[in-house]
Amino acid sequence: MWCKGYPGAYEVFTWSILSTSVGWVRDDIGLGPDNPYVDVKLMSSLLTMDAYIKLGSGSGAIRDVQRWLNATYLHRADFAIVPCDGIYGRAVQTAMLFGLQYEIGMADGVANGNFGPGTREGIRTQATVSQGSTDGAKRFVRLYQAVLRFNRYDSPFTGTRGDRQRGVPRHRQADP
């Protein structure tokens, strides 16, 4: 836990300290602090260098999406916890594709996080998002709003598409 920036036990194993830290981790990745337990996916994520808090160059808007992706799709077999550092990267892009594939109806084991013909056809036939669209059983509006945020548009993340999703991206700084 120390390597991730959360308190652990000092000299003697203290479950109350460790349990509190696990709750904080789960909350930071979007799962809420209740029922602090470590499953295989969380343990795997703890063993990476991924951050669960917004880093200096990260965006709160992107972090909101990262946490939502974890909370929404972690129960799926092939979905892995994504960092919640506010930085758009490869793991987040893969998670977005998994989310899109799940929403178009791909089963676990079929969804693979890659953009191929099945994903393209699913978008074409099912993922229409227009003015006034609202998420219901499918979450295409939030996925659309997430993509806008990843492309530096100042978009709400409400699950309802409104007028504010039109316009130009926020100022884009030159990438190093």
Short mmCIF file of all heavy atoms in Angstrom, two decimals, residues 61-103:
data_model
loop_
_atom_site.label_atom_id
_atom_site.label_comp_id
_atom_site.label_asym_id
_atom_site.label_seq_id
_atom_site.Cartn_x
_atom_site.Cartn_y
_atom_site.Cartn_z
N ALA A 61 -11.52 16.19 -15.37
CA ALA A 61 -12.57 15.73 -16.28
C ALA A 61 -12.26 14.33 -16.79
O ALA A 61 -13.15 13.48 -16.89
CB ALA A 61 -12.73 16.70 -17.45
N ILE A 62 -11.01 14.06 -17.11
CA ILE A 62 -10.62 12.73 -17.58
C ILE A 62 -10.64 11.75 -16.42
O ILE A 62 -11.07 10.60 -16.57
CB ILE A 62 -9.24 12.78 -18.28
CG1 ILE A 62 -9.39 13.54 -19.60
CG2 ILE A 62 -8.69 11.37 -18.50
CD1 ILE A 62 -8.11 13.76 -20.36
N ARG A 63 -10.23 12.18 -15.25
CA ARG A 63 -10.27 11.30 -14.08
C ARG A 63 -11.70 10.86 -13.77
O ARG A 63 -11.95 9.71 -13.42
CB ARG A 63 -9.66 11.98 -12.85
CG ARG A 63 -9.62 11.05 -11.65
CD ARG A 63 -8.80 11.64 -10.51
NE ARG A 63 -8.65 10.65 -9.47
CZ ARG A 63 -9.48 10.51 -8.43
NH1 ARG A 63 -10.51 11.32 -8.29
NH2 ARG A 63 -9.26 9.57 -7.53
N ASP A 64 -12.66 11.76 -13.92
CA ASP A 64 -14.06 11.39 -13.72
C ASP A 64 -14.46 10.25 -14.66
O ASP A 64 -15.16 9.32 -14.25
CB ASP A 64 -14.99 12.59 -13.98
CG ASP A 64 -14.89 13.66 -12.91
OD1 ASP A 64 -14.35 13.38 -11.82
OD2 ASP A 64 -15.34 14.79 -13.18
N VAL A 65 -14.01 10.32 -15.91
CA VAL A 65 -14.32 9.26 -16.87
C VAL A 65 -13.63 7.96 -16.48
O VAL A 65 -14.23 6.89 -16.53
CB VAL A 65 -13.91 9.68 -18.31
CG1 VAL A 65 -14.10 8.52 -19.28
CG2 VAL A 65 -14.68 10.91 -18.77
N GLN A 66 -12.36 8.04 -16.07
CA GLN A 66 -11.63 6.84 -15.67
C GLN A 66 -12.34 6.13 -14.52
O GLN A 66 -12.52 4.91 -14.55
CB GLN A 66 -10.20 7.22 -15.26
CG GLN A 66 -9.35 7.69 -16.42
CD GLN A 66 -8.04 8.31 -15.96
OE1 GLN A 66 -7.98 9.03 -14.94
NE2 GLN A 66 -6.98 8.04 -16.71
N ARG A 67 -12.76 6.88 -13.52
CA ARG A 67 -13.46 6.30 -12.38
C ARG A 67 -14.80 5.70 -12.80
O ARG A 67 -15.18 4.64 -12.33
CB ARG A 67 -13.66 7.35 -11.28
CG ARG A 67 -12.34 7.83 -10.69
CD ARG A 67 -12.51 8.88 -9.60
NE ARG A 67 -12.94 8.18 -8.40
CZ ARG A 67 -14.01 8.50 -7.70
NH1 ARG A 67 -14.78 9.50 -8.06
NH2 ARG A 67 -14.34 7.81 -6.62
N TRP A 68 -15.50 6.38 -13.71
CA TRP A 68 -16.78 5.86 -14.21
C TRP A 68 -16.58 4.55 -14.98
O TRP A 68 -17.35 3.61 -14.80
CB TRP A 68 -17.45 6.91 -15.10
CG TRP A 68 -18.72 6.43 -15.70
CD1 TRP A 68 -19.95 6.39 -15.11
CD2 TRP A 68 -18.90 5.89 -17.02
NE1 TRP A 68 -20.88 5.87 -15.99
CE2 TRP A 68 -20.26 5.56 -17.16
CE3 TRP A 68 -18.05 5.67 -18.09
CZ2 TRP A 68 -20.78 5.01 -18.32
CZ3 TRP A 68 -18.56 5.13 -19.26
CH2 TRP A 68 -19.91 4.80 -19.36
N LEU A 69 -15.55 4.50 -15.80
CA LEU A 69 -15.27 3.26 -16.54
C LEU A 69 -15.05 2.10 -15.57
O LEU A 69 -15.61 1.01 -15.75
CB LEU A 69 -14.04 3.43 -17.45
CG LEU A 69 -14.24 4.27 -18.70
CD1 LEU A 69 -12.89 4.64 -19.31
CD2 LEU A 69 -15.11 3.54 -19.71
N ASN A 70 -14.24 2.31 -14.54
CA ASN A 70 -14.00 1.26 -13.56
C ASN A 70 -15.29 0.84 -12.86
O ASN A 70 -15.60 -0.35 -12.75
CB ASN A 70 -12.99 1.72 -12.50
CG ASN A 70 -11.57 1.75 -13.02
OD1 ASN A 70 -11.21 1.01 -13.93
ND2 ASN A 70 -10.76 2.62 -12.46
N ALA A 71 -16.06 1.81 -12.41
CA ALA A 71 -17.30 1.51 -11.68
C ALA A 71 -18.32 0.82 -12.56
O ALA A 71 -19.07 -0.04 -12.10
CB ALA A 71 -17.89 2.80 -11.11
N THR A 72 -18.34 1.15 -13.84
CA THR A 72 -19.36 0.64 -14.75
C THR A 72 -19.03 -0.74 -15.31
O THR A 72 -19.92 -1.57 -15.45
CB THR A 72 -19.58 1.64 -15.91
OG1 THR A 72 -19.90 2.92 -15.34
CG2 THR A 72 -20.70 1.20 -16.82
N TYR A 73 -17.77 -0.99 -15.62
CA TYR A 73 -17.43 -2.20 -16.36
C TYR A 73 -16.52 -3.18 -15.63
O TYR A 73 -16.23 -4.25 -16.16
CB TYR A 73 -16.78 -1.82 -17.70
CG TYR A 73 -17.68 -1.00 -18.56
CD1 TYR A 73 -17.39 0.33 -18.84
CD2 TYR A 73 -18.86 -1.53 -19.09
CE1 TYR A 73 -18.23 1.11 -19.63
CE2 TYR A 73 -19.72 -0.77 -19.87
CZ TYR A 73 -19.39 0.54 -20.14
OH TYR A 73 -20.23 1.30 -20.91
N LEU A 74 -16.11 -2.90 -14.41
CA LEU A 74 -15.18 -3.80 -13.72
C LEU A 74 -15.76 -5.20 -13.50
O LEU A 74 -15.03 -6.18 -13.44
CB LEU A 74 -14.73 -3.20 -12.40
CG LEU A 74 -13.56 -3.92 -11.74
CD1 LEU A 74 -12.33 -3.92 -12.66
CD2 LEU A 74 -13.22 -3.30 -10.41
N HIS A 75 -17.07 -5.31 -13.43
CA HIS A 75 -17.69 -6.62 -13.23
C HIS A 75 -17.56 -7.51 -14.46
O HIS A 75 -17.80 -8.72 -14.37
CB HIS A 75 -19.17 -6.45 -12.85
CG HIS A 75 -20.02 -5.96 -13.98
ND1 HIS A 75 -20.06 -4.64 -14.36
CD2 HIS A 75 -20.83 -6.63 -14.83
CE1 HIS A 75 -20.87 -4.51 -15.39
NE2 HIS A 75 -21.36 -5.71 -15.70
N ARG A 76 -17.19 -6.96 -15.61
CA ARG A 76 -17.04 -7.76 -16.83
C ARG A 76 -15.72 -8.53 -16.77
O ARG A 76 -14.71 -8.04 -16.27
CB ARG A 76 -17.08 -6.85 -18.06
CG ARG A 76 -18.39 -6.08 -18.24
CD ARG A 76 -19.60 -6.97 -18.42
NE ARG A 76 -19.56 -7.76 -19.62
CZ ARG A 76 -20.26 -7.53 -20.72
NH1 ARG A 76 -21.08 -6.49 -20.78
NH2 ARG A 76 -20.15 -8.33 -21.75
N ALA A 77 -15.72 -9.72 -17.32
CA ALA A 77 -14.60 -10.65 -17.17
C ALA A 77 -13.27 -10.10 -17.68
O ALA A 77 -12.24 -10.26 -17.04
CB ALA A 77 -14.92 -11.96 -17.88
N ASP A 78 -13.27 -9.45 -18.85
CA ASP A 78 -12.00 -9.05 -19.46
C ASP A 78 -11.61 -7.60 -19.19
O ASP A 78 -10.58 -7.14 -19.66
CB ASP A 78 -12.07 -9.29 -20.97
CG ASP A 78 -12.26 -10.76 -21.30
OD1 ASP A 78 -11.60 -11.59 -20.64
OD2 ASP A 78 -13.07 -11.08 -22.18
N PHE A 79 -12.42 -6.88 -18.44
CA PHE A 79 -12.14 -5.48 -18.15
C PHE A 79 -11.16 -5.40 -16.98
O PHE A 79 -11.36 -6.03 -15.95
CB PHE A 79 -13.42 -4.72 -17.80
CG PHE A 79 -13.23 -3.23 -17.72
CD1 PHE A 79 -13.39 -2.45 -18.84
CD2 PHE A 79 -12.89 -2.63 -16.52
CE1 PHE A 79 -13.21 -1.07 -18.77
CE2 PHE A 79 -12.70 -1.26 -16.44
CZ PHE A 79 -12.87 -0.49 -17.56
N ALA A 80 -10.10 -4.62 -17.14
CA ALA A 80 -9.11 -4.43 -16.09
C ALA A 80 -9.22 -3.01 -15.54
O ALA A 80 -9.62 -2.09 -16.25
CB ALA A 80 -7.70 -4.66 -16.63
N ILE A 81 -8.86 -2.83 -14.28
CA ILE A 81 -8.88 -1.51 -13.66
C ILE A 81 -7.95 -0.59 -14.43
O ILE A 81 -6.81 -0.95 -14.74
CB ILE A 81 -8.44 -1.60 -12.18
CG1 ILE A 81 -9.48 -2.39 -11.38
CG2 ILE A 81 -8.23 -0.21 -11.58
CD1 ILE A 81 -9.07 -2.70 -9.96
N VAL A 82 -8.44 0.61 -14.74
CA VAL A 82 -7.62 1.60 -15.43
C VAL A 82 -7.12 2.61 -14.40
O VAL A 82 -7.74 2.82 -13.36
CB VAL A 82 -8.38 2.32 -16.57
CG1 VAL A 82 -8.73 1.35 -17.67
CG2 VAL A 82 -9.59 3.04 -16.08
N PRO A 83 -5.99 3.25 -14.69
CA PRO A 83 -5.51 4.28 -13.77
C PRO A 83 -6.53 5.40 -13.66
O PRO A 83 -7.33 5.62 -14.57
CB PRO A 83 -4.21 4.77 -14.41
CG PRO A 83 -4.14 4.19 -15.77
CD PRO A 83 -5.15 3.10 -15.86
N CYS A 84 -6.49 6.11 -12.55
CA CYS A 84 -7.40 7.24 -12.33
C CYS A 84 -6.57 8.49 -12.05
O CYS A 84 -6.77 9.19 -11.06
CB CYS A 84 -8.35 6.94 -11.19
SG CYS A 84 -9.46 5.57 -11.58
N ASP A 85 -5.61 8.73 -12.94
CA ASP A 85 -4.66 9.81 -12.79
C ASP A 85 -5.01 11.05 -13.59
O ASP A 85 -4.31 12.06 -13.53
CB ASP A 85 -3.26 9.33 -13.18
CG ASP A 85 -3.21 8.71 -14.56
OD1 ASP A 85 -4.20 8.79 -15.33
OD2 ASP A 85 -2.15 8.13 -14.90
N GLY A 86 -6.10 10.99 -14.38
CA GLY A 86 -6.49 12.13 -15.18
C GLY A 86 -5.74 12.25 -16.48
O GLY A 86 -5.86 13.24 -17.19
N ILE A 87 -4.96 11.23 -16.83
CA ILE A 87 -4.17 11.26 -18.06
C ILE A 87 -4.74 10.22 -19.03
O ILE A 87 -4.89 9.05 -18.69
CB ILE A 87 -2.68 10.97 -17.76
CG1 ILE A 87 -2.14 12.07 -16.84
CG2 ILE A 87 -1.88 10.87 -19.06
CD1 ILE A 87 -0.76 11.80 -16.30
N TYR A 88 -5.02 10.68 -20.23
CA TYR A 88 -5.54 9.79 -21.27
C TYR A 88 -4.36 9.00 -21.84
O TYR A 88 -3.39 9.56 -22.32
CB TYR A 88 -6.22 10.59 -22.36
CG TYR A 88 -6.69 9.76 -23.52
CD1 TYR A 88 -7.79 8.95 -23.37
CD2 TYR A 88 -6.04 9.79 -24.74
CE1 TYR A 88 -8.24 8.16 -24.42
CE2 TYR A 88 -6.48 9.03 -25.79
CZ TYR A 88 -7.57 8.22 -25.64
OH TYR A 88 -8.02 7.45 -26.67
N GLY A 89 -4.45 7.68 -21.75
CA GLY A 89 -3.38 6.82 -22.26
C GLY A 89 -3.94 5.55 -22.86
O GLY A 89 -5.16 5.38 -23.01
N ARG A 90 -3.05 4.65 -23.20
CA ARG A 90 -3.42 3.42 -23.89
C ARG A 90 -4.42 2.58 -23.10
O ARG A 90 -5.39 2.05 -23.64
CB ARG A 90 -2.18 2.60 -24.19
CG ARG A 90 -2.50 1.23 -24.75
CD ARG A 90 -1.26 0.49 -25.11
NE ARG A 90 -1.11 0.67 -26.53
CZ ARG A 90 -0.06 0.30 -27.22
NH1 ARG A 90 0.96 -0.25 -26.63
NH2 ARG A 90 0.00 0.49 -28.51
N ALA A 91 -4.21 2.42 -21.80
CA ALA A 91 -5.13 1.60 -20.99
C ALA A 91 -6.53 2.19 -20.99
O ALA A 91 -7.52 1.45 -21.02
CB ALA A 91 -4.60 1.47 -19.56
N VAL A 92 -6.62 3.51 -20.96
CA VAL A 92 -7.92 4.16 -20.96
C VAL A 92 -8.60 4.00 -22.32
O VAL A 92 -9.80 3.75 -22.40
CB VAL A 92 -7.78 5.65 -20.57
CG1 VAL A 92 -9.13 6.36 -20.61
CG2 VAL A 92 -7.16 5.78 -19.19
N GLN A 93 -7.83 4.11 -23.39
CA GLN A 93 -8.38 3.90 -24.73
C GLN A 93 -8.91 2.47 -24.87
O GLN A 93 -10.00 2.25 -25.41
CB GLN A 93 -7.33 4.18 -25.81
CG GLN A 93 -7.80 3.86 -27.21
CD GLN A 93 -9.01 4.67 -27.63
OE1 GLN A 93 -9.13 5.82 -27.31
NE2 GLN A 93 -9.93 4.04 -28.36
N THR A 94 -8.17 1.51 -24.39
CA THR A 94 -8.61 0.12 -24.45
C THR A 94 -9.88 -0.07 -23.62
O THR A 94 -10.82 -0.74 -24.06
CB THR A 94 -7.49 -0.82 -23.95
OG1 THR A 94 -6.35 -0.64 -24.79
CG2 THR A 94 -7.92 -2.27 -23.99
N ALA A 95 -9.93 0.55 -22.45
CA ALA A 95 -11.12 0.45 -21.61
C ALA A 95 -12.33 1.07 -22.31
O ALA A 95 -13.45 0.54 -22.22
CB ALA A 95 -10.88 1.16 -20.28
N MET A 96 -12.13 2.18 -23.01
CA MET A 96 -13.23 2.80 -23.77
C MET A 96 -13.75 1.84 -24.84
O MET A 96 -14.95 1.71 -25.03
CB MET A 96 -12.76 4.09 -24.44
CG MET A 96 -12.72 5.27 -23.51
SD MET A 96 -14.35 5.77 -22.95
CE MET A 96 -15.12 6.19 -24.49
N LEU A 97 -12.85 1.18 -25.54
CA LEU A 97 -13.28 0.23 -26.57
C LEU A 97 -14.00 -0.96 -25.96
O LEU A 97 -15.01 -1.41 -26.50
CB LEU A 97 -12.09 -0.21 -27.41
CG LEU A 97 -11.66 0.80 -28.46
CD1 LEU A 97 -10.32 0.44 -29.08
CD2 LEU A 97 -12.71 0.92 -29.54
N PHE A 98 -13.51 -1.46 -24.83
CA PHE A 98 -14.24 -2.52 -24.13
C PHE A 98 -15.65 -2.04 -23.78
O PHE A 98 -16.63 -2.75 -24.01
CB PHE A 98 -13.52 -2.96 -22.85
CG PHE A 98 -12.57 -4.10 -23.03
CD1 PHE A 98 -11.21 -3.91 -22.92
CD2 PHE A 98 -13.04 -5.37 -23.31
CE1 PHE A 98 -10.32 -4.97 -23.08
CE2 PHE A 98 -12.17 -6.44 -23.47
CZ PHE A 98 -10.81 -6.23 -23.35
N GLY A 99 -15.76 -0.83 -23.21
CA GLY A 99 -17.06 -0.29 -22.85
C GLY A 99 -17.98 -0.20 -24.06
O GLY A 99 -19.15 -0.61 -24.00
N LEU A 100 -17.47 0.29 -25.15
CA LEU A 100 -18.27 0.39 -26.37
C LEU A 100 -18.70 -0.99 -26.86
O LEU A 100 -19.86 -1.20 -27.22
CB LEU A 100 -17.47 1.11 -27.46
CG LEU A 100 -18.17 1.34 -28.79
CD1 LEU A 100 -19.44 2.13 -28.61
CD2 LEU A 100 -17.23 2.03 -29.75
N GLN A 101 -17.78 -1.94 -26.84
CA GLN A 101 -18.11 -3.30 -27.27
C GLN A 101 -19.15 -3.94 -26.36
O GLN A 101 -20.06 -4.63 -26.83
CB GLN A 101 -16.84 -4.14 -27.34
CG GLN A 101 -15.93 -3.71 -28.49
CD GLN A 101 -14.56 -4.35 -28.45
OE1 GLN A 101 -14.09 -4.82 -27.40
NE2 GLN A 101 -13.89 -4.37 -29.59
N TYR A 102 -19.05 -3.70 -25.05
CA TYR A 102 -20.06 -4.24 -24.14
C TYR A 102 -21.42 -3.63 -24.44
O TYR A 102 -22.44 -4.31 -24.42
CB TYR A 102 -19.68 -3.98 -22.68
CG TYR A 102 -18.42 -4.69 -22.21
CD1 TYR A 102 -17.58 -4.07 -21.31
CD2 TYR A 102 -18.09 -5.96 -22.65
CE1 TYR A 102 -16.43 -4.70 -20.85
CE2 TYR A 102 -16.95 -6.60 -22.21
CZ TYR A 102 -16.12 -5.96 -21.31
OH TYR A 102 -14.98 -6.59 -20.86
N GLU A 103 -21.45 -2.32 -24.69
CA GLU A 103 -22.71 -1.64 -24.94
C GLU A 103 -23.36 -2.08 -26.26
O GLU A 103 -24.58 -2.08 -26.36
CB GLU A 103 -22.54 -0.12 -24.91
CG GLU A 103 -22.11 0.44 -23.58
CD GLU A 103 -23.04 0.12 -22.42
OE1 GLU A 103 -24.25 -0.04 -22.63
OE2 GLU A 103 -22.54 0.03 -21.28
#
